[in-house]
Amino acid sequence: MKLFRVLVVAAGLLLLWEALVRLTAVPPFILPGPLAVALRFLAQFDLLLHHGWVTAVEILLGLFCGTLMGMASALLIVASRPARAWLMPLLVISQALPVFALAPLLTLWFGYGLASKVVMASLIIYFPVAAAFVDGLRRADPGLIDLARVMGASPLAILLNLRLPGALPALASGLRVAAATAPIGAVVGEWVGSSRGLGYLMLHANARLQVDLMFAALALLALFSLTLYFTLDAALRRLTAWQPESDSVSAAGFSLLPEKGPS
Amino acid sequence: MKLFRVLVVAAGLLLLWEALVRLTAVPPFILPGPLAVALRFLAQFDLLLHHGWVTAVEILLGLFCGTLMGMASALLIVASRPARAWLMPLLVISQALPVFALAPLLTLWFGYGLASKVVMASLIIYFPVAAAFVDGLRRADPGLIDLARVMGASPLAILLNLRLPGALPALASGLRVAAATAPIGAVVGEWVGSSRGLGYLMLHANARLQVDLMFAALALLALFSLTLYFTLDAALRRLTAWQPESDSVSAAGFSLLPEKGPS
Amino acid sequence: MTGQAPSVRLRGAALRFGGRAVFSDLDLDLPAGRWTCLLGESGIGKTSLLRLIAGLGSADETRGHLSCSDGLPLAGRVAYMGQRDLLLPWTTVLQNVVLGARLRGGRAAARETEGRAAALLRAVGLAGREEDLPGSLSGGMRQRVALARTLFEDCPVVLMDEPFSALDAVTRHRLQALASDLLRGCTVFMVTHDPLEALRLADRIEVLAGLPPQLRPVFEPAGQAPRPLDDPALAQQAGRLMIVLGDGARAA
Amino acid sequence: MTGQAPSVRLRGAALRFGGRAVFSDLDLDLPAGRWTCLLGESGIGKTSLLRLIAGLGSADETRGHLSCSDGLPLAGRVAYMGQRDLLLPWTTVLQNVVLGARLRGGRAAARETEGRAAALLRAVGLAGREEDLPGSLSGGMRQRVALARTLFEDCPVVLMDEPFSALDAVTRHRLQALASDLLRGCTVFMVTHDPLEALRLADRIEVLAGLPPQLRPVFEPAGQAPRPLDDPALAQQAGRLMIVLGDGARAA
Amino acid sequence: AERMTVLLDWFVNPDHATLIVARDGGFFERHGLEVELIAPADPNDPPKLVAAGKADLAVSYQPQLHMQVAAGLPLLRVGTLVATPLNSLVVLRDGPIQGLADLKGRKIGFSIGGFEETLLQTMLGGAGVALDEVELVNVNFSLSPALIAGQVDAVIGAFRNFELNQMDIVGRPGRAFYPEEEGVPPYDELVLVAKADTLDRAKLARFLLALEEATTFLLNHPQSAWALFIASDKALDDELNRRAWTDTLPRFALRPAALDQGRYARFATFMAENGMIGEAGTVADYAIDVNAD
Ligand SMILES: Nc1ncnc2c1ncn2[C@@H]1O[C@H](COP(=O)(O)OP(=O)(O)OP(=O)(O)O)[C@@H](O)[C@H]1O
Ligand SMILES: Nc1ncnc2c1ncn2[C@@H]1O[C@H](COP(=O)(O)OP(=O)(O)OP(=O)(O)O)[C@@H](O)[C@H]1O
Ligand SMILES: [Mg+2]
Ligand SMILES: [Mg+2]
């Protein structure tokens, strides 16, 4: 059922794409049709796989480091008010600096290899994770915190046992955004300078007007994002299952059968 | 007091920057010291202001459109389960596509003017806003929803009167991320094609080895981000004042004086 | 209360959470225009039964037949006061009271009813707190706002889950009289833990007890509610009711 | 309870939210090892007073002098049961009961005490629900978990805010006896709305009433708590207490 | 073997043929060098990184070299890859622009390199059009798409061996105007730069010798060289590269190490006259012949 839906979405997207190409008469060197892209995808599957693999590693490492850094900053920010006052502006700035300005600096410090891409991807997902987590941590139920204080809990114990679990749903929100953003982080990281990876392949293909190859790479990247997002989503849902959710549909009132005849 | 803190943060940042430059011996053509940048900032204030103004307009419009689109998608997603099934993957994909791949397409459709930058800035902040808002809307207290159902409320009335206000804190989280991200969206837009704006100025300065001018522009951009973030933050805090927050510090227990002598 | 209140008839109600059945095959009649009280041990399923009648499902399986004496569906003419106060934290006390009007008719409709809501708030002793946020109220005050909201709904059928549990004896006594007065003619179903409260207000008392839980109609207190608490008959009945409740507890 | 319970002495307590003073210049003595009950109208400031003693501030201004008979600070040896149940929604009932041990001593310390916690859960009638999440409990069950958690704390001073309000008469009766038994020798301060409960458990009853609210020591019921409810002396005292409460309400 | 890191100016393309062939044909190896080629995405970065000591050599452009040295980067041109300009102003062949004078009031797209305004000023000036009579738009990577899609009327910064073929392949052939025919002194498009203060002349001499041998091989055996080139990366084997390959061959510097002092001095003077650098300076400040002493 779920797989079926995904397939239908995919088919719908492709149709939309085809329609777009036809209706707006976009020249193929700007937006090729899905068929051309699919053919190219199959024809250069090895190449895509080779570069895709590199990018996948960067994405996962970036997600890992970024999440770790983000969570650590958030804990720091919530643990002490001074940290918050000083760290928050830094955090915001970290988000606002365009990569290309930092690229030479990053290459200088981290070299041309994996490291600089991972740093880039981490930087990009760092802020959403940290911001969401901070918000979650600060929104802990004051009643619970009061209770813990009377119980003689240290601020650290309160952080770990009360604020942290309570902030998981908010953290999950941030992580979902991060999961969808990490691929673009890695690709932008490859922009810093590389000779492998989907980002490299795309720029390369773009520079040479191999637009169908570029879109094939793009499709693979989108696939990564979706896989990452929905895998993480499922995992996070399990972790925050205690949190009541109310779909407009799922929590609908049931209806009892009206009585038919005397029973 | 607050202003004082901001000033201290700024001073601290500059010191950090200076220390970085000195300790790591970064050559000035990769990272100039803060003094050189400040001098350049003053010397070319008019130029920076001219380009900065363009970018500021793009940022604000992008933030506005992106937020609107994100909120609308979130409402749609929560309002109907089918919309959720179909729209969510699209949303994730929208986040995962690197802008530069779409840039030729976007400029083809929207030209090199304001529109394409606004579209790009909107695209970049769209997902964080939509994702956070969806999470907030779905986390409405099921008890409240039940109550409203018994009261005979339509799903729309429930959405507007219960889910929406309840989701404001989560939306605020998303908006904070958006505020910090919007500037980079506008800059990337300019970078793809433009003849004005801070992004353009940065590229231009970079190509001419006017690294201090580039960093002056970067500083202005960071200033934009900070202003935007903290302004929005203050506004959002007022809007969600009903939400209990518990700082580790502010919600601390007070202590009664121990009694001294008979009273 | 507008219109004639119907009687409500529930047959073969069953409810299950996961592997644990709360009850199965319960039959219940709520006589038209009368006040029925439900007592029973904590956790036996009173709230679940109330929610089932209100059409609210969170259980994994819910079954049963529900009908009204006038043949019309119950939905849309029932007011529900939950065990939690369920106030909207982001809006004022007054806006919480007019919530029903707002949800059904929008902001304008709600505004027209604000006078009536303010009068109800005065009646429950919250005059002057109309513009406060619920977060600044005490537990009992919050419960009184929820009560005012329920009374405000003006429905022919009213379901209330421990509506006076957080109130002091004096306020409780006064609000029982108020509710009894305002809900005269309504078909009321109220869960309570206080036998005296049940005896004071109910036309009919049911006890949910046993394993599997069964409904046992116990009393039809005589006289017109609200009955005075110092009535010696009431004290005697209270003793008998406690014995029934104790038996139920021992049986489970 | 470990160690000798101190008496607690509060002088000149004052509390203000925004422009609204809740009370000012209250004096209160909690005799060592005795059970003090506090009654009073809803919203008069009982919870606020309890929180003040617990060292919890959310008011805009809090003043007063607090001391213990042994000269040591009160913090760190007081158990607090709030008016809301305050269960952690993400962890099991058992883990909620051992929360104090967990917060003070970490996971390992908590594990050692799980046996005692399970026994307490059995005592409050929740055997078999140890591994459930609080979200799947009824209101009364949640309150019983909170009670178990408070009893688990084993502190010389215990503050409880309407600890039995969501329980049916039978369970309430049983748990009153349990608490009275387990808290023997503790300095207990309990807010309640039920005069009979106060008469059954308290060594001393205080009523908060008036404008500005003042504490009026009313009763020192004779005999050993928990007193049987069918004691005729108790019924008579209940009548007198109701009159005091009614007076207080009229005065305000 | 001694390791060397060379930063390219852009993704691998036929302009780098001699480097690729020298690496994959074993020419570097024969001179005891193990060379790593790294492609950046921003052509502005490599010179900075070389100046910061993060690589031995960078591929850059002669006009940028003058600007970089003027900005204080410790760089020296030590070799030449492509000895003619490649940059050109391109319009659609069947479009409305027949001569440079037609550009008056038109839109010109450019990819910011830092030098395009001077180029345009000189080229347009010759046709009697002032720089402020055209509208400049930064189109970044999308030079030919922007032109083909009609979003701009001309692009500057297009490489004659590359963009022209690109346009031809998609059926919208272009017409190029060459800077060196429109008043701009000829220059070396692609040069190799090294950090001035840590120059290892002997090593560089070996490097350039290997490069020279590779260039000769390229000219003598274009087919085998092409095979080596596409073997280095499968993605390179396409119609565009094949065409660009042919067009680039005659433009490679046959003597990569050789330095034409007069030509460099003339160009420096041109740059200074146009305000791109403060003063022309002496050639020795920015370019050397590693084999001279
Ligand atoms: N956070 C707050 N902000 C503003 N006012 C508050 C706040 N908390 C309590 N109050 C006010 O303080 C007064 C006393 O509240 P408190 O909770 O102590 O009452 P209470 O005696 O416990 O009542 P109840 O029996 O209903 O629980 C009330 O008028 C209440 O509105
Ligand atoms: N969401 C849920 N998930 C699982 N079990 C539930 C859920 N809600 C209620 N239950 C179970 O159903 C049973 C009946 O609960 P209900 O709330 O109806 O009790 P109650 O009679 O109202 O008790 P109380 O007097 O304590 O409010 C309890 O055993 C409870 O654990
Ligand atoms: Mg219940
Ligand atoms: Mg209270």
Side-chain angles (χ1 to χ4, degrees):
Chain A
M1 180 54 215
K2 187 137 190 188
L3 187 71
F4 168 77
R5 209 179 67 203
V6 169
L7 289 179
V8 176
V9 172
L13 271 178
L14 294 180
L15 274 180
L16 196 84
W17 180 355
E18 185 70 46
L20 206 70
V21 169
R22 282 175 193 263
L23 290 180
T24 63
V26 192
F29 54 85
I30 286 189
L31 180 64
L35 193 66
V37 173
L39 286 178
R40 186 58 92 108
F41 196 99
L42 293 177
Q44 309 224 308
F45 189 68
D46 284 353
L47 185 75
L48 285 166
L49 214 64
H50 167 73
H51 288 288
W53 171 244
V54 175
T55 304
V57 171
E58 293 165 5
I59 291 174
L60 291 178
L61 283 176
L63 195 61
F64 180 77
C65 299
T67 305
L68 229 65
M69 277 164 35
M71 286 179 63
S73 311
L75 288 175
L76 207 66
I77 282 175
V78 175
S80 86
R81 193 199 280 269
R84 169 134 158 261
W86 312 119
L87 217 60
M88 208 63 206
L90 266 177
L91 235 126
V92 175
I93 289 181
S94 83
Q95 180 71 1
L97 295 184
V99 188
F100 77 86
L102 302 180
L105 209 60
L106 289 177
T107 337
L108 194 66
W109 287 337
F110 301 104
Y112 306 98
L114 190 63
S116 54
K117 282 102 201 162
V118 173
V119 169
M120 235 23 270
S122 310
L123 268 182
I124 283 195
I125 65 161
Y126 170 65
F127 187 70
V129 172
F133 199 32
V134 166
D135 280 351
L137 289 170
R138 301 190 61 229
R139 246 177 260 146
D141 181 347
L144 291 183
I145 310 286
D146 280 349
L147 179 70
R149 283 222 183 84
V150 176
M151 284 175 161
S154 67
L156 183 71
I158 293 182
L159 191 63
L160 294 180
N161 291 292
L162 298 186
R163 289 186 189 274
L164 204 133
L168 278 186
L171 178 64
S173 290
L175 281 180
R176 272 188 273 265
V177 172
T181 322
I184 207 177
V187 165
V188 170
E190 284 165 5
W191 168 252
V192 167
S194 70
S195 40
R196 288 178 311 158
L198 286 181
Y200 166 81
L201 188 65
M202 273 189 255
L203 279 179
H204 196 273
N206 184 55
R208 235 152 273 266
L209 240 53
Q210 297 173 331
V211 190
D212 40 4
L213 179 59
M214 182 178 93
F215 275 84
L218 213 54
L220 188 58
L221 196 72
L223 198 72
F224 280 1
S225 287
L226 285 177
T227 315
L228 197 62
Y229 179 87
F230 287 104
T231 313
L232 205 73
D233 189 48
L236 291 172
R237 254 171 226 288
R238 200 154 314 152
L239 253 167
T240 58
W242 54 269
Q243 167 92 4
E245 283 210 355
S246 59
D247 249 326
S248 54
V249 193
S250 72
F254 67 100
S255 47
L256 292 175
L257 299 172
E259 200 184 351
K260 281 172 200 110
S263 70
Chain B
M1 180 53 216
K2 187 134 191 195
L3 186 72
F4 168 77
R5 208 179 67 203
V6 169
L7 289 179
V8 176
V9 172
L13 272 178
L14 294 180
L15 273 181
L16 197 83
W17 179 357
E18 185 69 47
L20 206 71
V21 168
R22 283 175 192 262
L23 291 180
T24 63
V26 191
F29 50 84
I30 287 188
L31 180 64
L35 192 66
V37 173
L39 287 178
R40 186 58 91 108
F41 195 99
L42 293 178
Q44 310 224 308
F45 190 66
D46 285 351
L47 184 75
L48 285 166
L49 214 63
H50 167 73
H51 289 286
W53 172 245
V54 175
T55 304
V57 171
E58 294 166 5
I59 292 173
L60 290 178
L61 283 176
L63 196 60
F64 180 77
C65 299
T67 305
L68 228 65
M69 279 164 35
M71 286 179 63
S73 311
L75 288 175
L76 207 67
I77 282 175
V78 174
S80 86
R81 193 198 280 269
R84 168 134 159 260
W86 310 121
L87 216 61
M88 209 61 207
L90 267 178
L91 233 127
V92 176
I93 289 181
S94 84
Q95 179 69 3
L97 296 185
V99 186
F100 77 85
L102 302 179
L105 209 60
L106 290 178
T107 45
L108 188 68
W109 288 336
F110 301 101
Y112 288 107
L114 189 65
S116 56
K117 282 99 201 166
V118 173
V119 168
M120 261 175 252
S122 309
L123 267 181
I124 282 194
I125 65 161
Y126 170 65
F127 186 71
V129 172
F133 200 31
V134 165
D135 281 350
L137 289 170
R138 302 190 61 229
R139 246 178 260 148
D141 182 346
L144 291 184
I145 310 285
D146 280 350
L147 177 71
R149 284 222 182 83
V150 175
M151 285 177 161
S154 66
L156 183 71
I158 292 182
L159 191 63
L160 294 180
N161 292 292
L162 297 186
R163 288 185 190 276
L164 204 131
L168 278 186
L171 177 64
S173 290
L175 281 180
R176 272 188 272 265
V177 172
T181 324
I184 206 174
V187 164
V188 170
E190 285 166 2
W191 165 53
V192 163
S194 66
S195 37
R196 288 179 310 158
L198 286 182
Y200 171 80
L201 185 64
M202 275 189 254
L203 274 183
H204 205 268
N206 187 39
R208 268 153 218 253
L209 276 302
Q210 298 170 329
V211 189
D212 39 6
L213 180 59
M214 182 176 94
F215 275 84
L218 214 55
L220 188 58
L221 195 73
L223 198 72
F224 280 1
S225 287
L226 286 176
T227 314
L228 198 60
Y229 179 88
F230 286 104
T231 314
L232 205 74
D233 188 48
L236 291 172
R237 254 172 225 287
R238 200 153 315 150
L239 254 167
T240 58
W242 53 268
Q243 167 93 6
E245 283 210 354
S246 60
D247 248 327
S248 54
V249 192
S250 72
F254 68 101
S255 47
L256 292 176
L257 299 172
E259 199 183 353
K260 281 174 200 107
S263 69
Chain C
M1 196 268 310
T2 48
Q4 189 60 41
S7 72
V8 176
R9 184 181 157 92
L10 180 68
R11 287 291 173 274
L15 205 95
R16 195 172 51 74
F17 285 106
R20 181 183 292 133
V22 178
F23 47 73
S24 48
D25 205 25
L26 283 193
D27 294 345
L28 174 69
D29 284 291
L30 304 178
R34 313 305 295 276
W35 191 305
T36 308
C37 275
L38 175 66
L39 287 94
E41 212 189 345
S42 163
I44 196 142
K46 303 179 295 300
T47 298
S48 304
L49 180 60
L50 204 79
R51 284 174 57 87
L52 183 143
I53 297 171
L56 298 173
S58 54
D60 298 303
E61 201 191 313
T62 313
R63 277 186 294 110
H65 296 275
L66 187 75
S67 58
C68 295
S69 55
D70 54 9
L72 301 174
L74 185 56
R77 47 178 178 162
V78 52
Y80 168 71
M81 178 172 170
Q83 198 167 356
R84 289 195 296 140
D85 50 57
L86 294 176
L87 302 184
L88 310 186
W90 53 81
T91 191
T92 62
V93 164
L94 186 68
Q95 291 304 317
N96 265 288
V97 174
V98 300
L99 180 65
R102 169 101 182 235
L103 284 172
R104 286 181 301 264
R107 203 179 290 251
R111 185 146 319 127
E112 283 175 24
T113 60
E114 281 177 6
R116 197 160 61 85
L120 274 169
L121 280 173
R122 258 195 311 281
V124 301
L126 289 173
R129 305 300 290 255
E130 293 86 356
E131 296 305 318
D132 287 8
L133 290 183
S136 71
L137 298 185
S138 78
M141 289 168 144
R142 294 175 62 100
Q143 194 170 45
R144 283 183 273 159
V145 177
L147 179 68
R149 180 174 63 190
T150 312
L151 296 176
F152 174 87
E153 286 293 281
D154 200 19
C155 284
V157 179
V158 178
L159 308 172
M160 296 194 286
D161 203 348
E162 308 184 26
F164 307 109
S165 63
L167 301 179
D168 63 286
V170 178
T171 310
R172 180 186 300 216
H173 194 265
R174 199 158 47 74
L175 293 190
Q176 283 166 351
L178 178 77
S180 178
D181 186 32
L182 291 179
L183 297 180
R184 202 172 306 282
C186 293
T187 305
V188 178
F189 187 46
M190 175 175 101
V191 173
T192 181
H193 282 319
D194 183 351
L196 285 176
E197 181 168 285
L199 289 168
R200 182 159 191 247
L201 294 174
D203 299 308
R204 184 187 179 127
I205 296 178
E206 306 252 1
V207 171
L208 188 61
L211 220 156
Q214 284 298 322
L215 279 171
R216 316 182 182 179
V218 195
F219 275 98
E220 304 227 352
Q224 172 79 37
R227 300 172 192 91
L229 273 178
D230 44 16
D231 182 345
L234 208 128
Q236 190 208 333
Q237 287 178 322
R240 273 176 54 207
L241 186 50
M242 278 304 288
I243 292 172
V244 175
L245 292 171
D247 284 350
R250 230 160 298 127
Chain D
M1 198 268 310
T2 48
Q4 189 61 40
S7 70
V8 176
R9 183 181 157 91
L10 180 68
R11 285 292 172 275
L15 206 95
R16 195 171 51 75
F17 286 106
R20 182 183 289 134
V22 178
F23 48 71
S24 49
D25 207 25
L26 282 193
D27 295 345
L28 174 70
D29 284 293
L30 304 178
R34 313 305 296 274
W35 191 304
T36 309
C37 274
L38 176 66
L39 285 94
E41 212 189 344
S42 164
I44 196 141
K46 303 180 295 299
T47 299
S48 304
L49 180 60
L50 203 79
R51 284 175 56 87
L52 183 143
I53 297 171
L56 297 174
S58 54
D60 298 303
E61 199 191 315
T62 313
R63 276 185 295 111
H65 296 275
L66 187 75
S67 58
C68 296
S69 55
D70 53 11
L72 301 173
L74 184 56
R77 47 178 177 163
V78 52
Y80 169 69
M81 178 172 171
Q83 198 167 354
R84 289 195 296 140
D85 50 56
L86 294 176
L87 303 183
L88 310 187
W90 53 81
T91 190
T92 63
V93 164
L94 185 67
Q95 290 306 316
N96 265 289
V97 174
V98 301
L99 179 66
R102 170 99 182 237
L103 284 172
R104 285 180 301 263
R107 202 178 290 253
R111 184 147 320 127
E112 282 175 20
T113 59
E114 281 177 6
R116 196 160 63 85
L120 274 169
L121 281 172
R122 257 196 310 282
V124 299
L126 288 173
R129 304 302 288 257
E130 292 87 355
E131 297 306 316
D132 287 7
L133 290 181
S136 70
L137 299 184
S138 78
M141 289 167 144
R142 294 174 63 99
Q143 194 170 46
R144 282 182 274 160
V145 177
L147 179 67
R149 180 173 63 190
T150 311
L151 295 175
F152 174 89
E153 286 293 281
D154 199 20
C155 284
V157 179
V158 178
L159 308 172
M160 297 195 286
D161 204 347
E162 308 184 27
F164 307 109
S165 63
L167 300 178
D168 62 287
V170 177
T171 310
R172 180 186 300 215
H173 193 264
R174 200 158 46 76
L175 293 190
Q176 284 167 351
L178 178 77
S180 177
D181 186 32
L182 291 180
L183 296 180
R184 202 172 305 281
C186 293
T187 305
V188 178
F189 188 45
M190 176 176 102
V191 173
T192 180
H193 282 319
D194 183 351
L196 285 176
E197 181 169 286
L199 290 167
R200 181 159 193 247
L201 294 174
D203 298 309
R204 182 186 180 127
I205 296 177
E206 306 253 0
V207 172
L208 188 61
L211 218 156
Q214 285 295 325
L215 278 171
R216 313 180 183 182
V218 195
F219 275 97
E220 304 225 354
Q224 172 78 36
R227 302 173 190 88
L229 273 179
D230 44 17
D231 183 343
L234 208 127
Q236 191 209 332
Q237 289 177 321
R240 273 175 54 206
L241 186 49
M242 277 305 286
I243 292 170
V244 175
L245 291 171
D247 283 349
R250 229 159 299 129
Chain E
E2 281 181 86
R3 294 187 55 90
M4 281 186 85
T5 307
V6 180
L7 299 179
L8 305 179
D9 62 314
W10 183 234
F11 300 111
V12 175
N13 63 62
D15 296 345
H16 308 127
T18 51
L19 285 171
I20 302 282
V21 167
R23 183 189 66 186
D24 296 346
F27 294 94
F28 287 138
E29 203 181 342
R30 237 165 281 153
H31 292 276
L33 296 173
E34 188 190 331
V35 173
E36 186 187 7
L37 302 178
I38 293 171
D42 183 350
N44 294 299
D45 290 346
K48 289 186 200 166
L49 290 169
V50 165
K54 289 303 278 187
D56 300 295
L57 283 172
V59 176
S60 188
Y61 314 98
Q62 189 189 334
Q64 273 73 10
L65 170 69
H66 293 282
M67 284 153 55
Q68 285 151 4
V69 173
L73 268 68
L75 289 175
L76 282 176
R77 169 270 179 212
V78 296
T80 300
L81 278 187
V82 172
T84 78
L86 293 176
N87 203 336
S88 56
L89 186 123
V90 173
V91 298
L92 288 176
R93 185 185 292 165
D94 45 11
I97 314 292
Q98 294 304 310
L100 289 176
D102 297 335
L103 280 171
K104 191 173 194 156
R106 300 285 186 160
K107 258 191 206 164
I108 303 180
F110 68 105
S111 171
I112 297 180
F115 179 51
E116 53 286 331
E117 281 172 29
T118 307
L119 266 185
L120 276 176
Q121 194 168 17
T122 309
M123 292 175 74
L124 294 176
V129 180
L131 193 57
D132 55 15
E133 288 174 309
V134 296
E135 187 186 340
L136 289 178
V137 179
N138 157 41
V139 298
N140 216 322
F141 331 91
S142 308
L143 285 173
S144 35
L147 184 59
I148 298 170
Q151 290 170 299
V152 294
D153 304 292
V155 291
I156 183 77
F159 276 14
R160 55 194 70 169
N161 55 338
F162 211 76
E163 266 79 4
L164 283 179
N165 283 315
Q166 222 173 36
M167 294 170 69
D168 209 41
I169 290 171
V170 298
R172 301 297 300 278
R175 172 206 308 275
F177 296 94
Y178 302 105
E180 66 272 25
E181 294 174 1
E182 308 289 342
V184 179
Y187 59 88
D188 297 345
E189 190 67 61
L190 294 185
V191 293
L192 290 162
V193 298
K195 188 164 163 36
D197 40 12
T198 57
L199 215 58
D200 182 347
R201 281 179 178 244
K203 192 168 156 193
L204 287 175
R206 278 189 286 150
F207 180 92
L208 290 167
L209 184 56
L211 192 63
E212 182 173 343
E213 289 167 10
T215 310
T216 312
F217 176 81
L218 197 71
L219 291 174
N220 294 344
H221 310 281
Q223 287 315 312
S224 333
W226 170 252
L228 272 177
F229 182 66
I230 57 173
S232 71
D233 184 347
K234 273 207 296 188
L236 291 171
D237 184 13
D238 66 6
E239 173 72 10
L240 175 60
N241 278 334
R242 210 162 330 186
R243 290 199 193 193
W245 178 268
T246 321
D247 287 358
T248 314
L249 273 190
R251 300 185 180 271
F252 284 120
L254 299 180
R255 299 178 300 143
L259 172 66
D260 181 340
Q261 303 249 359
R263 181 163 132 136
Y264 269 73
R266 273 195 301 279
F267 196 76
T269 308
F270 170 79
M271 293 286 282
E273 280 169 354
N274 282 279
M276 294 302 293
I277 57 177
E279 52 190 46
T282 56
V283 174
D285 293 339
Y286 50 84
I288 57 161
D289 177 347
V290 291
N291 296 314
D293 39 30

